[in-house]
Structures are given as structure tokens and as C-alpha cells.
Amino acid sequence: MLRKLLSYFASDIAIDLGTANTIVYVKGKGVILNEPSMVALGVDRNGLSKRIIAVGHEAKIMLGKTPGQIEVIRPMKDGVIADFTVTEQMIKYFIKKVGSQKKLFSIPPTIVICVPCGSTQVERRAIKDSALAAGARKVELIEEAMAAALGADLPVSSASASMVVDIGGGTTEVGVISLGGLVYANSIRIAGDRIDEVISNHIRSKHGLLVGDTTAEDIKKQIGSAHPNADVGDMTIRGRSTFQGLPRETVVTSQEIREALKDTLEQIIAAIRQALEETPPELSADLIENGITLTGGGALLRGLDVLLIQETGLKVLVANEPLLCVAKGCGLALDFLTENKLYLSRIR
Ligand SMILES: Nc1ncnc2c1ncn2[C@@H]1O[C@H](COP(=O)(O)OP(=O)(O)O)[C@@H](O)[C@H]1O
Ligand SMILES: [Mg+2]
């Protein structure tokens, strides 16, 4: 009874704790925070104690430009908690920020957080504990692929299976959903960050230019392409010459980026093929009808849908607002908490 009353008054929240972006969704209000999962730490002179200087957007601005005493880290790199203490601080900061913005949380909220399906029990526990330590009354975890499917409006509770591929910063999650549960789930640690890394390696080896992470990501967003039909000309970029060590400019084309990305995208395709192979035959038949839905920031890579149609022979759709699907799905899962639906049951 008390719990019911509490949940009526508290503004429960859903957090997409992504490797690239953290998005907070509040029941009845929608997405109210969307910031990079980054933290700037100040290191004292002997390199021992560290304190948080900035979080989110403010930290991202500092990326690659910091003096020696400041480092910008991404505590969720690779889809799991790489740094427990900093992640906890980051979650606390974001929860506090949304709380103080709207004066929402006089009663501690219930929080739904998504976890990559490849994460271990220890990693899940760590995420749960971070949120509890950050002030949650109760924490429920939901698998990212399920959240993505819910947020993309897929018919998750229908008996007809659908496939979702969520390409984030650190991980690509592939899930097949039927009757409210994940029939198949897999996560590979190849996604947007790897694409950026391949782009900066390419620029270094072909153009003799060193570029930072931010530039590599800009190149991907502006001229990145996965299919010849999606190539979009070229772009002038700046970096440091590996030869003279001086700042220099060069021109890169969409086509060369596409060629450089071929092997990496092939690994994502392989993960999708494996999912198709391991899906029970009755459900495979449904996938011909329902196709594959792409979510996550990586879904925005130009021509990726066309490439996947070509490689799988299935329909491929990019979800509406792919960057927000997981957060929206976690938000929808909040409603199911009281209804006791299946979605959350596989993760404890
Ligand atoms: N237009 C775009 N084209 C290609 N990649 C993009 C685009 N916009 C964002 N991304 C990439 O999407 C990734 C972030 O997606 P997101 O779903 O927020 O990841 P996460 O859930 O891991 O935080 C980053 O690697 C980012 O570079
Ligand atoms: Mg994500």
C-alpha cells in the first residue's frame, strides 16, 4: 500500500546509461536530459587525488583540449562500467540535475536503467548499486535490446517476432523479440567508437594527419557512408601532420571513408547474420514480414540501411529518433512495473 502511494507521488525516472550519451526520461514529462556520458577529472600535482570538474556537455567541450592536470574520461566505455566511482558520481550528478530542474524528487524515485545484454551479473550489480547510492528508492534493470524495441514501437508483445539492432557508441545489441521477451540477444563491442577509431587510423595512414576523437566523429557524421548510393562528396579536415608535426589541412572523401569502414561494418553484419541463423524457424518467417529495425546513433550512418537490405535480403527500417529509442523504451517499461509484465523479468 505504502509503495503504491509512494509510486503515485514520486516522479519515476528512466535512464539510458549509454556509452556515448546518457538520457533521462521522466514519467509524464518525456526526455528531460540528454548529455554525453563524460566526466572531466582534475588531478592534483602528484597525480593522486582526483575530483570531478565537469560532467556531460561541459566535459565534452574539454575533450582533447585539456591541460595536464585535467583528464576527460568516459566511465561507460565499451558498454560496461569501466570506472565504478566515476559512474556513480555521474549518475548522481544527472539525477540531481533533473531533480533540481523541476523540483521533482521530494520522494526518492524508482529508476529503470538499461544494461547491455552482454554485461555480467557483477556489472549489472554495479549499475544497480550506483543508482541506489545516487538516491533511488528502487532500481529495475531492463535489457537494452528490449528497451530499444519498446522505444521503437515494435509490437513486442505480439506472437510475431521482430528484430532490433541498436548501434550505440560502445556496443551493438542485436535482439529478436516475441511475446514480450527476448528470444535471442547478443551484444558485440563494435559500434560508433570503433568506427571513429578506424576513421582516425585511416586519416593517419593515408593522409599522414593525426586527428582527435571529435574530428573523427565529425567526419563520420558529415561524410560517413556505408553504401556507394549514400556517398556525399568530400570534406576539408584539420589535424597535425605526422611528418612535420605542424597543423595541416587535407581533403577526405566519402568514398574513402566508406572503404575504410568496410571491415568494421562487416562485423556488425556478421552479428546480424548469426542472430538470423540462431532464430527458431517459426520466428524467422515473421522476420520476413517485420524486417529489422535500427536504433541508436549508429543507425544514422548514411546508407547503413541500404547495405543491410543488400546483405540480409530483409526489410530494414531506421526507427524514429533512433538516439532516443532506448530512453523512451526504459520510460515505457516504468509503466509496466506495476502491471507485472514480462519485459523486466529476465534480469535480476
Ligand atoms: N549522424 C550520425 N551518423 C553516424 N553516427 C552517428 C550519428 N549521430 C550520432 N552517431 C554516433 O552514435 C553513437 C552514439 O549513439 P548512442 O545511441 O547515443 O550511443 P550509446 O547508447 O552507447 O550512448 C556515437 O558513436 C555517435 O558518433
Ligand atoms: Mg544506447
Side-chain angles (χ1 to χ4, degrees), residues 18-21 144 167-170 192-193 217 220-221 296-298 300-301 323:
T19 55
N21 300 298
E144 220 168 342
I167 307 173
D193 292 340
E217 189 184 12
K220 170 177 72 177
K221 290 185 184 171
L300 293 168
L301 180 66
L323 283 156

Side-chain angles (χ1 to χ4, degrees), residues 37-111:
S37 309
M38 288 188 190
V39 178
L41 296 172
V43 187
D44 71 6
R45 240 179 266 129
N46 44 32
L48 287 176
S49 71
K50 294 180 179 175
R51 69 197 159 81
I52 293 183
I53 293 181
V55 182
H57 291 304
E58 288 173 18
K60 186 167 186 176
I61 294 168
M62 298 180 184
L63 187 68
K65 296 184 174 176
T66 51
Q69 326 78 284
I70 301 179
E71 59 172 338
V72 177
I73 65 160
R74 292 179 45 192
M76 303 289 301
K77 206 159 186 279
D78 295 329
V80 293
I81 296 192
D83 188 320
F84 182 80
T85 336
V86 175
T87 302
E88 187 177 312
Q89 298 288 335
M90 186 176 80
I91 298 177
K92 266 190 191 154
Y93 175 88
F94 287 140
I95 292 179
K96 209 170 139 202
K97 190 161 176 184
V98 293
S100 64
Q101 259 175 18
K102 309 269 183 191
K103 296 225 176 314
L104 288 172
F105 310 127
S106 41
I107 301 168
T110 293
I111 304 187

Side-chain angles (χ1 to χ4, degrees), residues 16-21 23 114 144 148 166-171 173 295-297 322-323 325-327:
D16 169 8
L17 193 58
T19 55
N21 300 298
I23 301 175
C114 68
E144 220 168 342
D166 179 81
I167 307 173
T171 62
E173 312 274 321
T295 64
L323 283 156
C325 285
V326 170

